[in-house]
Amino acid sequence: MHRVRTDRGELRAPLVVDALGWRRVLSNAAPIQPPNARLSRGLEVHPPGSGRDMELWIDTKYVRAGYSWSFPAGDELRVGVGSFWPAHHVKEPTVRLAGDLGLPPQGYQGNWIPHQLRRAVEDGVFFAGDSAGHCLPLTAEGIRTALYFGLACGRELRAVIAGQRSREQALQGYGAFSDSHERKFRWLLNAQRAIGQITPSRAITHIVRAFESRRLTRWAFNQYLAIAPPSYVSAGAGPSRASRPAGRAIASPVAGARA
């Protein structure tokens, strides 16, 4: 039985999931605070407006290592800047980008974004979403991966509650499942670091032009999508691949949530 102390008293439960975000609140390890933490910065404004296109800028005019964007969302536009380097602030360039587009900087929304995979289990606790670094480096996509790993975690929890496996087996299975993605997350993080270094050079222009090829774009997108395949949602309610006995049919991963 685990005990978690909160500002509303002590909670006890046999299964505990930390999905509280990048601070990894239930970890016993020493916290790592910005700008030394494995984090990127992101900020956007939501002025009223409409449009059809999603625009991206890889331009040192706005951010030295990262990218800027503008895209429609209902009756508003979302205009922002993301920096791979946490020491670089993004408010001023976000305001400047909005001004360059003739838009008022209204409706601020921002956050720290984890960009490195961390251990998904620690001291008997399951970690999912940002608390496990499940946000993809380079693109900062975190909702799909939160669903993906959250579903894998939830299936393990369900198996324990149903008496199909022990808590220790579930922890081992979920931890191995998350760890099995380390190579892909590391590849994206290496790409993120490389982009941060070459943004001021002409190399970035050549890379962007190369992706004008539909064949290359399709291949790259399919590889990227396969990191957390949406098919996992409907692949069955069994435990994650890493924890299932050999010889049994298994599902793949997807989903995020926390208990």
Side-chain angles (χ1 to χ4, degrees), residues 88-107:
H88 288 196
H89 295 269
V90 292
K91 182 175 181 179
E92 188 278 330
T94 297
V95 172
R96 182 152 38 86
L97 174 59
D100 290 346
L101 297 174
L103 298 168
Q106 299 176 353

Side-chain angles (χ1 to χ4, degrees), residues 156 165 172-178 180 239-245 250-251:
E156 294 289 354
R165 64 184 2 80
Q172 182 180 10
Y174 175 63
F177 176 77
S178 181
S180 70
S240 59
R241 176 185 299 270
S243 68
R244 298 189 69 162
I250 53 180

Side-chain angles (χ1 to χ4, degrees), residues 10-33:
E10 184 178 87
L11 302 177
R12 299 184 183 186
L15 299 169
V16 176
V17 182
D18 181 337
L20 295 170
W22 63 267
R23 290 181 176 82
R24 200 174 168 91
V25 176
L26 299 185
S27 171
N28 290 321
I32 304 175
Q33 296 297 324

Side-chain angles (χ1 to χ4, degrees), residues 145-224:
T145 48
L147 289 172
Y148 177 79
F149 287 101
L151 181 56
C153 181
R155 288 174 177 173
E156 294 289 354
L157 300 178
R158 176 180 292 180
V160 175
I161 293 173
Q164 298 172 357
R165 64 184 2 80
S166 66
R167 187 186 70 172
E168 289 67 30
Q169 288 174 322
L171 286 163
Q172 182 180 10
Y174 175 63
F177 176 77
S178 181
D179 290 345
S180 70
H181 295 74
E182 191 276 335
R183 181 180 62 83
K184 296 176 181 179
F185 271 72
R186 177 163 36 88
W187 192 95
L188 284 176
L189 181 57
N190 289 338
Q192 171 178 303
R193 289 169 173 165
I195 292 296
Q197 295 296 329
I198 68 175
T199 297
S201 71
R202 294 182 178 179
I204 196 69
T205 301
H206 296 308
I207 292 173
V208 171
R209 285 178 176 170
F211 277 91
E212 291 178 359
S213 165
R214 288 184 177 272
R215 182 176 181 181
L216 176 60
T217 301
R218 186 179 299 111
W219 174 85
F221 179 78
N222 287 337
Q223 293 294 316
Y224 174 78

Side-chain angles (χ1 to χ4, degrees), residues 8 21 73 76 79-80 234 239-240:
R8 298 186 180 183
E76 66 184 22
V79 179
S234 58
S240 59

